[in-house]
Amino acid sequence: MSEGNIKLSRRTFIVSAGASGAGLVLGLTLPVSGRAKAGVAVTEEVNAWVVVQPDDTVVIRIARSEMGQGTLTGLAQMVAEELECDWNKVTWEYPTPGENLARDRVWGSFATGGSRGIRGSHQYVREGGAAARMMLVEAAAMQWQVPVAECSAANSVITHAPSGRRTTYGKVATAAARLVPPTEIPLKDPKDWKLIGQPAKRLDTRGKLTGEQIYGSDLSLPGMLNAAIKACPVFGGTVAGFEADKVSDMPGVKGVVQVDDNAVAVIADTWWRAKSALDVLPIEWDEGPNAQISQADIQARVREGLTADSAFIGNSAGDIKAALTGATTRVEATYSYPFLNHATMEPMNATALWTKDACEVWCPTQNGESALAAAAEAADLPLEQCDVHKMLLGGGFGRRGGGDYVRQAVLIAKQMPGVPIKLLWSREEDMKHGFYHPITMARMEGGLDEDGNLIALQIRISGQSILAGRIPEALQDGKDPIVFQALSPDGDHAISYKIPNLLVDHAMRNSHVPPGFWRGVNVNQNAVYMECFLDEMAHAAGVDPLTFRQRLMQENPKGLAVLNAAAEGAGWGTPAPEGVFRGLATCYAFGSHVAACAEVSVDDGGKLKMHRIVAATDPGYAVNPQQIRAQVEGSFVYGLSALLYEECTVKDGEIEQENFDTFPSLRIAEMPKVETIVMPSGGFWGGVGEPTIAVAAPAVLNAIFAATGKRIRNVPLKGQNLLSA
Amino acid sequence: MTKLNINGKTVELEFDEGTPLLWVLREQAGLTGTKYGCGIAQCGACTVHIDGNPVRSCVYPASAVRPTQQVTTIEGLSESGDHPVQQAWQELDVPQCGYCQSGMIMAAAALLAKNAAPGDDEISTSITNICRCGTLQRVRQGIHRAVEISRETQTS
């Protein structure tokens, strides 16, 4: 492979699935050296992270994607903290993945998932801010010809105390940029933070209130055409043929093209016209063998795995067999969790401009570098001749980590060289061609001693593996370690409890439905299985569910503190309002301890009302507490939408649900009041975008049991009688 | 060519029979603040006002809008982005990804125009928009705050 002409093949993707295997990890290592790309404009940057303009405006470069989770603001706060700049003059910009490539990946990973935005980059972004400050101060000291040690910086002002001289960052930025960057970059002690830990307002709110914010689907480029697409509804099926001439005379239609072997797109002057033509375009599909598969087949295969002899052990302790045999009381139960679509509010989209020499893409993406790789591959051009302009995302939730829609846009644009093509999926296309939360079941078996202590727990998880579907290279001897999130022996998804005899294993049972990283990932089902079954065990033991958990958390003081905070906040142990019942759940996920206590009532007709949820989070350091609260509040909407309503099912090989009428989302009327306790204990960096989702469902399910005595073991609740079996 | 009054201006636009108002706004009038989310009036991301009433423009034929009717989009809700709902949203940092918020704000503004101080039950009945990021709690708080801002503005 020559450096000047590099073609990226799928083989060169080196996936950085960490040892903990958490979350969305579609990072890839680009197979090129850091040769500077000709023509990359070097702005008046002090370093890669910080640009200071003459008017003292500070532009902070953000590598991770903003999709609503607030990372953009948190990352800027961390840079600004060490930079000692005036927060009121901070703005931001995205470097492109192409610039990152050309500069030896100076901004590190662009991957935005696994609740890693802050915790995965806090060190180097703070160092970026600190290094820039050191250079700015040094530049001022040189101008004044005084020792650097006599100068200090605060609020974008540099002061030489002995002489009383002052200057601002904007005045010395150009000189600072010419200095050799420091190699030793000390960072502040967390106790000295002034901006980190503050509930700063988001930097990206204004444009979202006036319609001015341009999302990928809003983009308009000179001469741009619009494309609507339809892929074979059956996964794995292909295009057998289509009658382009039936629509080519329709108003505005400019072309009808095949995209890969499985999709057809109509290109028109407006998207509405493209979609209208696509709706009536006769397409013949070769649906292939998957058209024979329906939900019952997939469920049967998953169910079979519950009792299969062979499984991959993820966590074990003691002697489970002997302990279960010797237990005073044994409890068994089987749980299930369905396929789910991410259903981002903004459907998938990308705009591509292709010529034989270059390819540019504008798109919402959780991983700019993956998008760049997908674009270059589809464009059949070297990476260096391609680039991606990241747009703010209209939701991500793990759906926008891959490059499927980018690839399609480029393949369409390639058939109209020189014309920018905006591809926008319909909601129906988005629902039917996602990467779905994996379907799983769990067989739980627990044993109590005569004092009601949990002495044995066996968990057999069976079902789909996300890694096997998305990043098979990351499997370990064909096994997927990520399936044990929140049940692992250690790492940032370690099990919260000490159980003397434990066996957690996984029987991989994949289907033809493509799985994906869905916000919360495997913690979602694992927390339902663990937390609801623990509740069952507590009731079998006749022990209060809080006490039952506390006994198992004596070696996990931070997790215990969070559980206690949620319980106390809700008044656990004190009478609830008339007809209201409480349920608890906790877990450790994405490096943070979280817990929730839900208060619900179920009326005589079996109708559920969720009144209040008290949620506690210890993320170690809380960079922006009000944004953590926003993430916790939002996590309940996402998690409870899934609990109440959401399920994707398969019929004749395709997903049955097509829109929000059959895949509903929680409305404001059903939204419980969420009270968030942010309790950073320091010393570690945990994520906040995902962990709370996982405790939403089990807390409510346990409260439903408290209210009705009925244990719900299959989600969603939709269509189930909450009152009696 | 068809005459439409959008955000106080009469414009002449050309569109095919049956084109939803949403796509005329986005693709003919160039007003992309109004979003496409579902196309079947489920999510409310496309909410605009016609004569002050909230309408899901993704299923509302543009040809059904009379030239005398006033269409208001997020871009025309206020002159400088300072409608009480927008102020409250800014104060509480309501948006996350923000994609649904144009519709959410238009729905909230329409509610407040009819009911200067809606209670929680009225908010629950009137605001049925979907937000996948889950800003619903702050949307509720935002509506209550907008009521206060309106009062403060009137008394000052």
Side-chain angles (χ1 to χ4, degrees), chain A residues 201-202 205-206 208-209 215 217-218 270-273 342-343 427 626 630 646 659 665 667-668 674, chain B residues 16 20 23 26-27 35-38 42 80 86 91 93 96-98 127-128 132-133 137-138 140:
Chain A
K201 289 285 164 58
R202 293 177 66 119
T205 295
R206 177 71 189 175
K208 295 175 177 177
L209 306 179
Y215 295 83
S217 51
D218 301 329
T270 69
W271 187 79
W272 180 253
R273 285 175 154 178
H342 300 82
R427 173 60 58 193
Q626 70 105 351
E646 292 172 1
N659 210 315
S665 199
R667 273 19 190 236
I668 206 167
V674 175
Chain B
D16 304 333
W23 294 102
R26 288 179 58 82
E27 304 200 300
K35 304 301 188 208
Y36 165 66
C38 69
Q42 281 285 318
S80 45
Q86 289 167 312
E91 230 178 77
D93 252 359
Q96 290 189 27
C97 89
I127 307 296
T128 57
R132 294 289 288 166
C133 295
Q137 175 149 314
R138 291 194 187 193
R140 185 184 290 282

Side-chain angles (χ1 to χ4, degrees), chain A residues 233-235 290-299 339 432 436 439 464 511-514 647-657:
Chain A
V234 178
F235 303 110
N290 288 338
Q292 308 304 314
I293 301 171
S294 283
Q295 187 73 6
D297 305 313
I298 296 169
Q299 284 171 330
F339 287 123
K432 288 183 100 81
Y436 299 84
I439 189 169
Q464 189 132 12
S511 78
H512 75 297
V513 176
E647 178 178 28
C648 291
T649 52
V650 175
K651 189 179 179 206
D652 301 331
E654 60 183 275
I655 295 292
E656 293 186 274
Q657 290 70 25

Side-chain angles (χ1 to χ4, degrees), chain B residues 49-112:
Chain B
H49 298 172
I50 298 180
D51 289 342
N53 296 309
V55 166
R56 296 206 166 163
S57 64
C58 71
V59 294
Y60 200 98
S63 56
V65 183
R66 293 188 300 276
T68 52
Q69 290 184 305
Q70 305 271 338
V71 178
T72 308
T73 71
I74 186 71
E75 291 91 346
L77 180 64
S78 61
E79 287 235 339
S80 45
D82 59 353
H83 185 282
V85 173
Q86 289 167 312
Q87 289 185 51
W89 255 235
Q90 179 87 54
E91 230 178 77
L92 298 176
D93 252 359
V94 172
Q96 290 189 27
C97 89
Y99 190 81
C100 74
Q101 294 296 333
S102 296
M104 205 65 93
I105 290 168
M106 295 306 283
L111 169 62
L112 291 177

